[in-house]
Amino acid sequence: TNSRLQQEYVPSAHLSAACTCLAWAPPGGRPPPSKDGPQRKKRKSEVTEVDKQLDILAIGTAVGSILLYSTVKGELQSKLDGGHDSRVNCVRWHQDNCCLYSCSEDKHIVEWNAQTCKVKCKWKGDNSSVTSLCISPDGKMLLSAGRTIKLWDLETKEVYKHFTGHATSVSSLMFTTVKPMNENKPFDGITGLYFLSGAIHDRLLSVWYIRSDRKEKNAVMSFTVTDEPTFIDLTVSEVKEEPVKLAVVCRDGQLHLFEHILNGYCKKPLTSNCTIQIATPGDDGDSTPNPVPILAAAFCTDKQSLLLVYGNTLQPIIEKVSLNTTESHICLIRDVQKVLSLKTDVAVTKVKTPVVNLDTKVLVPGIPGHSTAVKTPSSGKEKKKNKRKPGETEESIEERLEALDIDVSKVKTPGGLPQTDSFAVLLVQGLESNDAEILNRVLNTRKENVIKNTVARMPIHAVIPLLHELTKRLQGNPYSASLMVRWLKSVFTLHASYLSTLPDLIPQLGMLYQLMESRVKTLQKLSRLHGRLFILVTQVAASEAVQDVTEVNQTAKLVYEDESSEEEGSDDEMIADKDSDENWDEDEEKEEQSDEQDMTVEKEINGDSDLEPENESEEE
């Protein structure tokens, strides 16, 4: 193992989707190559070599498609589409035929024909997303898990058995035994086998026993580790008394080794027989050893030695370690920097460094007019120490910029404040690093124009994190809430079209909705209270103002009376009274006459008369 990168698959930009899971096809069971051109007959030795070599790699993607990549050809062989609508969580090859099984966030399990690249069968695996799969040793059963674990019959596609599972999504499933421990009963291929499961955020690995009766659904034993398991490898127990060896790599970078004979129920969780850690050596007296995370571990074919993968994910170091010790804790000392530097030195020998004169002016990307002198690479022995001698004054930033040949006047912004583009950069940096100081500096601005420009210039991917930050700050004191509302207004007006395209917008903004609802609920009551208080305050103020005014004495200080005018006035009144009395008598007489006339008219109409009939005849 030389720990060098042998092949790298980089998909084209417009087809690329994040890789979510991998699975090697069993050797010899890969799809036949396309028949292009004449084919020669292979020798026997050649056939066996090719059959032992792993070639096809199934790659599950975040968009639901599965890619089949040939490592021998170094190119993409085929693409399996039309099976899943969402992220593929796990892919597993069948050990005998060219079948591939996959599960997804869309709750379905798909059986693929790898030769025709078409779906053979598709069925619903769970009520929530299916996260892990495992095929039984005889190839007739399939384990699937979301949170609960189900055992499927692959012929009928029906559930054979249910298991309780874990509280969180299951991340790994694997069979630990090939044959049942009780050899007296006939073996049907599945009953009596043990399998192991691990879940995210769960520090217990559970072991399950497949019984013929359907009563027992709980785990028979469990292994405890220090953190969430990220990588699990085991040696399968093939004989009755052979212990199962388990290597579990945790998120904290430690490796735990277990060795246990599976023989029924065990109440207490089992702890590891041995824990392995890797650290750097402390070279100087000051430096302390730093832990080096273990990324993965696998048992070799002899079941005694281990392959360890540690260091950086971009440049991992692979090492074979044989364990013959009985110690419960082992710390391996490895100088990762030396190994990596040696590798890079070997790798970069073919690169030629150009010869550059000292007179050459090199333009550096950045500020216009910024040029720097080219420095010849100094030898590694010389180390400059930036220690000032006593009495020397430190250079100012302005002097340093002048030394770099940068026009300081161009760099400085009017007023010394950062511009809106730098505000946008600062905001994104603050959101990514969760730096409260930067966020306070940006979000506490009051200028509407600056807020609008900043929101307009910020990248799309930072919109949702900004909304989450604003929601968090809205829950604080009312002063900060009044500032945050301005930012919210700008975000919703400028990025409404982007937000409307998000499928999970309602759960993303749920907290904000609830916050606004609770604030608006009390608005009507508060406005009523405000109105009443305003009336009270104004009345109190008015009454106080009335009390402050001095009372004016309204009695007349001087009254002047004129005698002559009073006498004349009395004579006039007497005359007016006489006239009115005479008028009153005349009116009464007129009214009596009119009444008499009315009476005579009425009598004539009715045919009545004052004269008797005798008198009438006499007149005739």
Side-chain angles (χ1 to χ4, degrees):
T1 56
N2 56 7
S3 303
R4 289 224 189 127
L5 182 68
Q6 288 190 343
Q7 260 189 55
E8 191 171 8
Y9 167 58
V10 181
S12 55
H14 69 287
L15 295 172
S16 64
C19 165
T20 54
C21 51
L22 300 168
W24 286 101
R30 62 178 185 276
S34 57
K35 296 179 181 178
D36 294 337
Q39 292 193 334
R40 63 182 180 83
K41 209 172 184 181
K42 292 178 180 176
R43 294 179 196 166
K44 283 185 181 179
S45 60
E46 205 172 325
V47 170
T48 53
E49 280 173 18
V50 170
D51 281 353
K52 283 178 185 175
Q53 186 183 6
L54 293 169
D55 175 15
I56 301 296
L57 182 66
I59 305 168
T61 63
V63 292
S65 58
I66 298 169
L67 311 174
L68 299 183
Y69 178 76
S70 170
T71 51
V72 172
K73 292 180 181 177
E75 62 183 23
L76 199 66
Q77 185 161 302
S78 48
K79 186 178 181 181
L80 311 180
D81 265 330
H84 295 294
D85 306 327
S86 189
R87 168 195 166 105
V88 180
N89 287 325
C90 184
V91 283
R92 289 284 178 266
W93 288 90
H94 197 281
Q95 50 264 49
D96 300 329
N97 50 23
C98 286
C99 275
L100 180 71
Y101 293 89
S102 62
C103 64
S104 166
E105 293 281 324
D106 63 7
K107 309 174 188 177
H108 285 81
I109 301 169
V110 175
E111 182 181 8
W112 301 87
N113 186 335
Q115 290 181 339
T116 60
C117 300
K118 289 184 179 176
V119 177
K120 278 178 76 176
C121 185
K122 180 178 178 179
W123 71 97
K124 189 175 180 182
D126 209 323
N127 290 328
S128 58
S129 61
V130 187
T131 52
S132 193
L133 296 175
C134 182
I135 296 165
S136 65
D138 67 344
K140 292 179 182 176
M141 297 280 184
L142 176 76
L143 280 171
S144 78
R147 286 180 181 158
T148 58
I149 302 169
K150 293 177 184 177
L151 183 64
W152 300 85
D153 187 339
L154 284 177
E155 280 187 16
T156 59
K157 307 293 188 289
E158 289 179 357
V159 178
Y160 177 75
K161 200 162 173 54
H162 281 273
F163 298 93
T164 312
H166 295 257
T168 52
S169 300
V170 175
S171 56
S172 52
L173 279 174
M174 49 187 73
F175 278 89
T176 56
T177 52
V178 179
K179 293 176 184 176
M181 295 300 162
N182 188 358
E183 293 174 354
N184 301 329
K185 294 179 183 178
F187 180 47
D188 62 354
I190 196 72
T191 306
L193 296 187
Y194 290 88
F195 69 90
L196 178 89
S197 69
I200 58 169
H201 312 309
D202 195 344
R203 295 193 297 111
L204 286 177
L205 295 167
S206 301
V207 177
W208 312 81
Y209 181 57
I210 302 168
R211 297 172 181 270
S212 53
D213 57 346
R214 304 197 171 206
K215 290 178 184 176
E216 189 63 47
K217 291 184 178 181
N218 297 329
V220 290
M221 65 180 75
S222 56
F223 300 105
T224 178
V225 288
T226 52
D227 202 349
E228 178 190 335
T230 54
F231 193 92
I232 302 169
D233 190 45
L234 52 82
T235 63
V236 177
S237 173
E238 295 173 359
V239 193
K240 185 178 179 182
E241 294 300 323
E242 186 186 0
V244 170
K245 289 185 177 180
L246 190 64
V248 184
V249 178
C250 297
R251 194 171 289 283
D252 58 6
Q254 294 186 47
L255 168 64
H256 300 278
L257 298 175
F258 298 87
E259 194 170 332
H260 189 73
I261 298 169
L262 303 174
N263 53 2
Y265 186 75
C266 183
K267 193 175 181 181
K268 286 186 178 178
L270 301 167
T271 53
S272 60
N273 298 37
C274 181
T275 303
I276 299 174
Q277 285 179 288
I278 299 177
T280 57
D283 294 335
D284 307 328
D286 301 335
S287 67
T288 54
N290 291 321
V292 178
I294 300 173
L295 305 172
F299 285 102
C300 298
T301 48
D302 61 353
K303 297 189 179 182
Q304 294 297 324
S305 47
L306 274 168
L307 270 181
L308 294 182
V309 182
Y310 59 90
N312 189 350
T313 48
L314 295 172
Q315 284 186 312
I317 299 163
I318 303 169
E319 185 184 339
K320 190 174 182 178
V321 180
S322 57
L323 301 167
N324 302 320
T325 178
T326 54
E327 289 180 32
S328 61
H329 197 102
I330 301 170
C331 186
L332 304 173
I333 307 299
R334 299 287 182 271
D335 195 347
V336 183
Q337 294 299 325
K338 265 189 186 175
V339 178
L340 289 178
S341 61
L342 281 169
K343 273 196 207 170
T344 48
D345 287 349
V346 171
V348 183
T349 46
K350 292 179 183 177
V351 179
K352 292 180 181 178
T353 51
V355 180
V356 184
N357 293 328
L358 293 172
D359 304 330
T360 316
K361 187 177 183 181
V362 180
L363 295 175
V364 179
I367 301 156
H370 178 185
S371 63
T372 178
V374 178
K375 294 175 183 176
T376 52
S378 59
S379 61
K381 293 176 185 177
E382 294 175 7
K383 287 187 179 178
K384 289 186 179 179
K385 292 185 178 178
N386 294 333
K387 288 186 178 178
R388 282 186 284 125
K389 293 175 184 177
E392 276 187 10
T393 55
E394 191 179 355
E395 289 183 345
S396 66
I397 298 290
E398 197 165 344
E399 287 170 351
R400 289 181 191 177
L401 289 175
E402 281 173 3
L404 287 170
D405 193 19
I406 296 175
D407 191 353
V408 184
S409 60
K410 287 180 185 175
V411 178
K412 284 183 179 176
T413 55
L417 289 168
Q419 299 301 303
T420 47
D421 53 352
S422 61
F423 253 96
V425 173
L426 276 174
L427 182 59
V428 174
Q429 284 177 354
L431 290 169
E432 285 176 355
S433 61
N434 206 8
D435 192 328
E437 194 177 336
I438 295 175
L439 288 171
N440 288 339
R441 184 182 169 193
V442 176
L443 295 176
N444 286 344
T445 183
R446 291 170 164 277
K447 293 182 180 177
E448 293 282 346
N449 198 24
V450 173
I451 292 172
K452 276 185 183 176
N453 289 338
T454 305
V455 172
R457 290 177 185 180
M458 68 185 287
I460 287 292
H461 65 80
V463 171
I464 291 292
L466 175 60
L467 282 175
H468 288 324
E469 182 64 31
L470 292 173
T471 308
K472 197 164 69 178
R473 286 167 179 258
L474 273 170
Q475 296 169 18
N477 60 342
Y479 173 73
S480 70
S482 65
L483 290 173
M484 296 311 116
V485 167
R486 299 179 185 185
W487 284 91
L488 270 178
K489 183 184 171 185
S490 294
V491 170
F492 286 135
T493 49
L494 293 167
H495 295 290
S497 55
Y498 163 67
L499 290 169
S500 63
T501 60
L502 296 175
D504 57 343
L505 182 64
I506 292 169
Q508 290 268 28
L509 301 182
M511 182 73 77
L512 190 59
Y513 283 141
Q514 289 170 9
L515 199 65
M516 286 180 170
E517 285 292 326
S518 61
R519 292 266 172 116
V520 172
K521 265 184 189 175
T522 54
L523 178 65
Q524 198 173 0
K525 293 176 183 176
L526 282 171
S527 57
R528 282 179 188 169
L529 180 65
H530 177 264
R532 287 171 185 172
L533 288 171
F534 179 73
I535 290 167
L536 281 171
V537 168
T538 47
Q539 283 180 347
V540 169
S543 64
E544 284 176 358
V546 168
Q547 286 172 7
D548 291 346
V549 175
T550 53
E551 287 187 2
V552 181
N553 189 9
Q554 293 182 353
T555 54
K557 291 183 178 180
L558 175 69
V559 178
Y560 173 72
E561 294 179 355
D562 194 357
E563 293 175 3
S564 61
S565 64
E566 274 185 4
E567 286 172 1
E568 286 174 5
S570 60
D571 293 343
D572 293 342
E573 282 170 5
M574 290 289 285
I575 295 161
D577 289 342
K578 285 177 183 177
D579 290 345
S580 62
D581 290 342
E582 287 173 1
N583 291 341
W584 179 255
D585 295 338
E586 287 175 3
D587 290 342
E588 277 183 349
E589 285 175 5
K590 282 179 183 175
E591 280 177 5
E592 284 174 4
Q593 286 176 4
S594 64
D595 288 343
E596 284 175 2
Q597 282 177 359
D598 290 342
M599 288 284 285
T600 54
V601 170
E602 279 177 7
K603 283 178 182 178
E604 284 176 1
I605 289 164
N606 295 332
D608 297 336
S609 165
D610 294 337
L611 300 172
E612 293 175 0
E614 292 175 359
N615 298 337
E616 282 178 7
S617 59
E618 284 176 1
E619 283 175 6
E620 287 174 1

